[in-house]
Amino acid sequence: MSVMSKTFETKEQFRAELKIAAKNSFEKALKEIGPEDICGFAFHTDEEAMTITTMVNTRIHLQEMIKEDPEETDYYRFTPDEWAQDLELAPLFSNYLYQLNQSTPEEAFEQHTKDTFHLFINILSELKEEGLFSTMKEDFLLLLNITDFWDFEFMSETFRLLNSPALSKEYDKYLNSQEIEEYE
């Protein structure tokens, strides 16, 4: 059965398949781009954890973006929305997340979303521990990017789990420089 026609019986099956897909996605990027040019890899989702894809950044793309707007260096570096490539996972992963979200009672939705974010973080952490990113340079970034999500403490903690102390310090400095407007 191909991954495109598969459905998930359990969240654990979803997790296992997503981990395989993320690994394959990164390995494909390594072959196409080469480890010397890749400077970042991320899971990219939204604030309700209804979608998931992988993103990769390249040194060439990052330098081009910085050249266009040097004042936004950290933004281009730490924001996968601006990265070189969306490596697009099979739509069935986002379809499963959407169905799971739709079936989650409203009173449990916040916890469900947090649990899903932690599932993504754990997958990235396991892939790191298994050595998938071991050939990357010291400035390689690994992160979970959540669109329209402003919990800087969570973002910082997550980044620290996946990256070196030196990179984490740079990321925290970037987060602290961000101004968020409150909408009421």
Side-chain angles (χ1 to χ4, degrees), residues 106-143:
E106 188 175 330
E107 63 275 5
F109 193 77
E110 186 176 334
Q111 186 61 49
H112 159 73
T113 302
K114 287 179 184 177
D115 291 346
T116 304
F117 291 159
H118 285 286
L119 179 143
F120 298 153
I121 295 161
N122 289 338
I123 290 172
L124 291 172
S125 181
E126 287 173 16
L127 291 172
K128 180 181 177 183
E129 288 173 19
E130 292 169 6
L132 182 62
F133 311 109
S134 63
T135 60
M136 300 295 97
K137 294 184 178 182
E138 284 184 24
D139 63 347
F140 175 79
L141 302 177
L142 183 60
L143 60 120

Side-chain angles (χ1 to χ4, degrees), residues 39-103:
C39 60
F41 183 76
F43 269 147
H44 180 72
T45 189
D46 59 89
E47 73 277 8
E48 294 180 339
M50 293 182 73
T51 60
I52 186 69
T53 191
T54 53
M55 306 288 288
V56 68
N57 203 11
T58 65
R59 294 178 195 291
I60 293 169
H61 176 77
L62 179 60
Q63 291 308 313
E64 288 171 356
M65 298 299 287
I66 292 169
K67 187 177 180 181
E68 288 178 23
D69 191 356
E71 292 180 16
E72 295 295 335
T73 296
D74 288 338
Y75 175 74
Y76 295 130
R77 185 172 176 212
F78 294 118
T79 308
D81 294 337
E82 301 295 335
W83 285 9
Q85 293 182 17
D86 178 342
L87 300 174
E88 296 186 20
L89 296 173
L92 76 136
F93 294 108
S94 290
N95 292 344
Y96 175 80
L97 289 171
Y98 178 80
Q99 292 168 3
L100 195 60
N101 286 4
Q102 295 300 306
S103 65

